[in-house]
Amino acid sequence: MNGDVTVVGGGLAGLVAATRLAEAGADATLLERRPDLGGRVRTETVDGFTLDRGFQVLFTSYPAVASELDADALDLRTFAPGATICRPGSRATLSDPLRDPRGAIPSLLNREVSVSDKLRTLALRYDLAQREEASFFGGPDASIREYLRDWGFADDYIGNFVEPFYGGITLDRSLSTSKQVFEYTFRAMSRGAIGVPAAGMQAIPEALAARARDAGVDVETGADVEAVRTAGQGRIPFRTGSADAEGATVKLADGSTRETDAVVVATTPPEARRLTGVKSIPTEAVPNATGWYTLPAGESFETGKRILLNAAEASPNAVIPMSEVAPEYAPDDRALLAATFLGEAAQDRPADALREDVRDALAAWYPKREFGGLETVDVHRIPFAQFAQPPGVHDRLPDPDDPEGPVVLAGDYTEWSSIQGALASGREAATAATEHL
């Protein structure tokens, strides 16, 4: 395949699209506005702690993970299946007995969830396991809450477990998100592990970037794209000067222009809509805040590498003992916790108030322990952590080739909001772009 293509945006989707095109023989250039790659998947080091930009995990059973990444090379640190359901004076384990035999007895003794709902969960697991990959994001839809009630789950099960657990996945404790997200991720959890790379989540885009460079992609950071124009739009000169010419021009904020045979727009949804004019690109944001906290090392939270779910209060939604799962995330003499906070209110609350919520929750769940030494390492407030995914949204998402001319879209907003969606969209965008080369 001959031709040159410019990829605008160095997140997961852009990296995959550029790599696939270069591997197919195209002359690929990737332009990223920031000084580093990865988009929303980033990691920073603060005082010796490894902090992901918001609490994120990798589902090893995602098909696009298998096709685009070497999970073994990422050196994953995995969570135990299930979670610990917490309320004042009480902690109860709920696990998958088929994948975690050691958690079977504690799960059976769990009084937060009835025996009938535990059996119903296994039946749901079996039902989703029979589904074809292509069947999940289409057809009749409903909210997660409606879907679970239709299955017969009790309100206690939904409130004690699903609200905080899927609140963490969809950033929506009200469970008004599309059931299609629930079905797909529930099946994924039953098929594989959930974990983080020992070096932090940024190891994922770093691995993709290394593959891109090996394929011959020219990666340019600090390149802020102002506009993308196609032949016939007339606002930027083109290589032939003909209104009927194929190709596109990318204009950068420094005033320079790049002429190219095709463009892959792999930016955030609002920026993609601005650059392409495609109105079906979703721009309604779901925010998230993640607080990172430390305590002296040595005291275990006795979760068996599970997430602590807040069944009694919404703030924090969950607390994650990160250094028990991934010891590399913290210095040897410290323990590291992550806590997630949902909704717009958490975007403006002072860091001290968020820390007090975490301290109060831990003190209630572990009444015999003291948490006065809990210290804040950092707080990440992310206004656009996901795009909103109400029922029916996936039928309205844009196709990669919706823009006019030799311009295609790459981003999870063409699939669904997730790492799987981002990786898969990069592959689909590369296929669409080859039609213009």
Side-chain angles (χ1 to χ4, degrees):
M1 178 177 66
N2 297 318
D4 60 82
V5 60
T6 299
V7 178
V8 181
L12 305 189
L15 287 165
V16 170
T19 300
R20 290 263 178 170
L21 285 161
E23 289 175 344
D27 183 5
T29 299
L30 185 147
L31 306 178
E32 166 56 40
R33 174 177 60 84
R34 291 192 180 105
D36 53 5
L37 303 172
R40 283 173 283 175
V41 182
R42 288 184 287 152
T43 302
E44 61 187 21
T45 301
V46 178
D47 297 332
F49 294 95
T50 297
L51 310 181
D52 296 322
R53 185 70 178 171
F55 174 62
Q56 303 179 62
V57 294
L58 183 69
F59 286 58
T60 63
S61 63
Y62 281 162
V65 170
S67 63
E68 307 299 337
L69 291 164
D70 181 350
D72 291 336
L74 291 174
D75 197 15
L76 291 181
R77 302 292 181 261
T78 58
F79 291 81
T84 301
I85 301 172
C86 302
R87 62 178 68 254
S90 171
R91 301 189 307 276
T93 297
L94 185 63
S95 186
D96 180 351
L98 301 181
R99 295 184 56 239
D100 180 27
R102 289 185 297 180
I105 293 178
S107 295
L108 182 63
L109 298 176
N110 182 332
R111 296 183 179 180
E112 296 282 351
V113 177
S114 69
V115 173
S116 60
D117 277 338
K118 292 170 188 173
L119 295 174
R120 195 170 284 110
T121 300
L122 293 175
L124 175 61
R125 184 185 194 276
Y126 177 81
D127 181 76
L128 295 175
Q130 311 309 307
R131 297 267 299 272
E132 295 293 331
E133 178 74 18
S135 71
F136 282 90
F137 290 95
D141 203 357
S143 71
I144 294 173
R145 189 177 298 276
E146 292 169 333
Y147 173 75
L148 293 174
R149 284 176 172 166
D150 287 345
W151 259 85
F153 286 101
D155 288 343
D156 284 349
Y157 174 85
I158 296 172
N160 295 343
F161 174 66
V162 183
E163 282 184 11
F165 192 83
Y166 266 85
I169 293 175
T170 66
L171 310 183
D172 171 26
R173 195 165 170 132
S174 74
L175 303 183
S176 59
T177 299
S178 164
K179 76 174 180 71
Q180 295 169 354
V181 176
F182 175 91
E183 291 176 318
Y184 194 91
T185 53
F186 192 93
R187 186 187 70 154
M189 285 185 285
S190 70
R191 289 186 165 191
I194 298 174
V196 295
M201 288 292 286
Q202 193 158 339
I204 295 170
E206 287 176 353
L208 294 174
R211 179 182 166 193
R213 290 187 173 99
D214 288 345
V217 177
D218 181 13
V219 177
E220 299 183 26
T221 57
D224 190 2
V225 173
E226 183 178 288
V228 174
R229 299 285 183 254
T230 57
Q233 289 182 305
R235 278 176 282 183
I236 294 176
F238 291 83
R239 72 182 75 185
T240 66
S242 168
D244 297 325
E246 292 294 327
T249 297
V250 175
K251 181 180 180 182
L252 280 73
D254 64 6
S256 64
T257 60
R258 311 276 185 104
E259 296 180 355
T260 184
D261 293 316
V263 178
V264 176
V265 175
T267 64
T268 64
E271 183 69 359
R273 181 188 279 199
R274 184 187 73 80
L275 289 172
T276 66
V278 175
K279 297 188 183 303
S280 59
I281 296 174
T283 56
E284 182 182 351
V286 181
N288 182 43
T290 299
W292 295 93
Y293 306 97
T294 183
L295 286 164
E299 293 187 76
S300 172
F301 285 88
E302 302 168 352
T303 68
K305 298 185 178 181
R306 295 183 181 86
I307 294 172
L308 295 159
L309 301 179
N310 193 344
E313 304 287 343
S315 181
N317 179 70
V319 177
I320 304 94
M322 285 301 301
S323 55
E324 292 188 10
V325 177
E328 297 85 355
Y329 271 51
D332 291 341
D333 61 340
R334 305 297 295 179
L336 179 66
L337 305 174
T340 57
F341 304 88
L342 310 181
E344 293 287 351
Q347 297 295 298
D348 299 320
R349 289 191 68 204
D352 288 349
L354 297 178
R355 183 190 63 214
E356 288 306 309
D357 284 359
V358 176
R359 181 179 290 157
D360 291 346
L362 292 174
W365 303 340
Y366 298 86
K368 296 181 180 180
R369 292 173 55 179
E370 298 289 335
F371 294 97
L374 186 74
E375 299 176 2
T376 303
V377 180
D378 205 349
V379 176
H380 295 150
R381 305 175 197 271
I382 305 173
F384 203 123
Q386 295 182 13
F387 67 86
Q389 298 179 96
V393 69
H394 302 107
D395 289 335
R396 304 190 297 269
L397 297 181
D399 290 327
D401 58 0
D402 275 359
E404 295 182 3
V407 180
V408 300
L409 299 172
D412 61 0
Y413 55 84
T414 67
E415 299 278 340
W416 63 288
S417 195
S418 63
I419 288 176
Q420 162 67 21
L423 296 174
S425 75
R427 181 180 65 241
E428 295 301 317
T431 300
T434 61
E435 300 299 319
H436 303 287
L437 300 179

